[in-house]
Every structure is written in structure tokens, then in C-alpha cells.
Amino acid sequence: MSTEDFDSVRRDPDPIRRGKRATELLTTYQQRATELARLRKAAIEEAHRELGLSYTEIAGALGITKGRITQIRSTAPAAERAFFGVGPVSIGVPYRYQTTDRERPLIAAEDAETANQLEALLTALSLATSRYQIEPDRTEPPTGDTIVVCGPKSAPIGADLLSRDPDLAMIEDNGRWWIEQREDGTRIGSPTDEPTPQSADVAYVARHMIDNRVIIHIAGIHGIGSLGATHYLRAHLADVFRQVGQQPMSLVVRATYDGLTITDSELAAGPYVW
């Protein structure tokens, strides 16, 4: 904790504000400590792999025991944690206008389950989470590392993030949405929208670095596609991270489903590193 942060909390005369600020800073610095543990583990593995040092030699160089090296390697967070940033990570899903007794913004069941699955993934990676709703007129994500589950039709923030991708776009043509490769115009559509519909959907996934923070953007052609993308990340995040590291990138996922259950997911295109 910086001296300025610490002193500002100590001097705040309002006990509620002081308590809230202390809680926020505890979460932030705990996340940084976890990230340092991940970086230390990665450094140990790199020294062993790239420099050819034994773990005993690495322990001696770091001034710790070989047993401590073993403990660090087995307990520190996985390397792919960095895909989502340092944390805490906020997870946002959109309101979708639906008509019940009147037209009102509601959170679709698919989006709610996507948020649940993303939270489970982040928790497993020792990342603290919070949630927010994406209003239909929202143009900016919240501060800090975040996940934006939102297509270009749901809110301007979805269209803005897509405009930053040099390789993939989402376009509407005659009432049907497609994921399109910008270079050659190749399109990937949802099997749900075929003349003979299938229980499958596709989704766009991107990793942005904006203002020194990570923004993960997930946008299914339909809501279930975002859940399929989350299913793919939960199963294949380590593989994706080995390919792209911490670089900005995008990819397309195809998933099959039964109700709200994703039965399978696979890479349909990419990853494209920007």
C-alpha cells in the first residue's frame, strides 16, 4: 500500500467512508500480492526451463529452501490468471428489453448463467470479482480489469470494443448477425439461424489492453453463445494463454447446447493476435 493511500484512509473522519475505502484497498493489494506470487512462480519455471538451472540452484539464488520452491510451484496461481489482468475483475452483462406485462429491461437467463460461470472461473484463478449491469446506452466499461459480455446490438460499448479489433467484426445483414473476418470477408454465422436450425451458436471473444488494464469482451450471436464462449475458456484457457500470452487478441468459439447446458465447445477461428 502506498503511503498516500494509507494516510488518506487513516485521516478520513467519516467511519463508513473510511471502512469502505479500507475494504477496497485490502482487496486491491491482496490481488497484487496474488499476482506477485504468480510472477514468482513463472520466474522460477522460466529459470529452470530457459537457463537450465535446477530447482536447488534456483532456491539458493533466491535465498529460500528447495522445499519452499516446491510449495511455491504447487500453490501459486496458474500462469493463465494473467489473461484476465491483476484483479479485482468486474463482470458485466446486459439488460435486454423484453415484453412481459410491459416492456422492461431484464437480464436474460443465458447472460445470468454466463456471469455465474465466469465468476467460478475467476475464483478458481484467485481473482476477486464484482458484478455490474450494462445499460442499453452504456458507452464505457467501469474502471479496472473487467469482462464485458455484450454484443453491438445490446449497447454502444459492445460496438466500440469491436471497432478496435483489426481482424474480426460483427455485422448485421438482412436481419441476421455474422462474425466476419475483415481481411477477406469470410463470415461465420450461428447454426441457430440456419434454415434448418441447430442447437448451436457462435461467439466472439477478445482481450483488450486499454489504459493499462485488461478488458475481456465476449459477444455471442445469441445469448447462449456467450455461455458457450465461457465454457470454452474454462476448458481451454491454459492453451489459449500459451498461444497469445498477455497480448491483445480475438477468436471465435462454436458451442452446442441443450437448454442452458453447453454440451460442447470448440475453437471456430483464431486466435488472432493484434
Side-chain angles (χ1 to χ4, degrees), residues 71-85:
Q71 184 183 41
I72 290 169
R73 294 180 63 225
S74 62
T75 61
E80 58 267 25
R81 178 185 193 272
F83 184 83
F84 294 101

Side-chain angles (χ1 to χ4, degrees), residues 18-227:
R18 188 169 66 245
K20 289 178 66 177
R21 181 61 177 151
T23 299
E24 292 169 357
L25 288 173
L26 278 169
T27 300
T28 297
Y29 283 94
Q30 286 168 355
Q31 291 287 274
R32 291 181 181 179
T34 302
E35 176 63 7
L36 286 170
R38 184 197 70 81
L39 289 170
R40 180 173 58 177
K41 176 183 177 181
I44 289 169
E45 298 298 351
E46 183 179 345
H48 178 65
R49 183 179 64 253
E50 303 295 335
L51 302 182
L53 297 177
S54 69
Y55 291 116
T56 300
E57 292 172 322
I58 296 170
L62 296 183
I64 57 180
T65 66
K66 184 181 179 182
R68 180 61 177 141
I69 289 285
T70 300
Q71 184 183 41
I72 290 169
R73 294 180 63 225
S74 62
T75 61
E80 58 267 25
R81 178 185 193 272
F83 184 83
F84 294 101
V86 175
V89 180
S90 57
I91 303 168
V93 296
Y95 288 130
R96 300 180 189 273
Y97 277 97
Q98 298 179 17
T99 301
T100 51
D101 55 319
R102 58 187 175 86
E103 188 175 70
R104 66 180 72 186
L106 301 172
I107 296 177
E110 296 92 335
D111 294 326
E113 184 59 21
T114 296
N116 291 339
Q117 294 297 319
L118 285 168
E119 184 175 349
L121 171 58
L122 296 175
T123 299
L125 294 169
S126 302
L127 285 161
T129 65
S130 61
R131 298 197 190 187
Y132 65 98
Q133 280 75 51
I134 299 173
E135 301 84 359
D137 60 350
R138 188 168 192 135
T139 59
E140 296 290 335
T143 58
D145 298 327
T146 187
I147 301 176
V148 176
V149 181
C150 179
K153 184 178 179 180
S154 297
I157 186 176
D160 177 68
L161 288 171
L162 275 157
S163 71
R164 296 171 177 264
D165 187 332
D167 292 302
L168 296 173
M170 291 185 75
I171 64 165
E172 186 179 18
D173 186 5
N174 291 322
R176 180 175 177 180
W177 283 88
W178 304 81
I179 300 175
E180 182 178 83
Q181 295 182 1
R182 296 186 189 274
E183 183 177 3
D184 61 10
T186 299
R187 292 179 176 180
I188 302 174
S190 172
T192 301
D193 298 326
E194 295 294 334
T196 303
Q198 303 173 44
S199 296
D201 197 21
V202 295
Y204 167 90
V205 179
R207 182 184 193 272
H208 297 268
M209 283 295 301
I210 302 174
D211 298 330
N212 295 316
R213 64 198 179 105
V214 174
I215 299 176
I216 301 298
H217 183 203
I218 299 174
I221 296 289
H222 302 282
I224 195 69
S226 297
L227 186 58

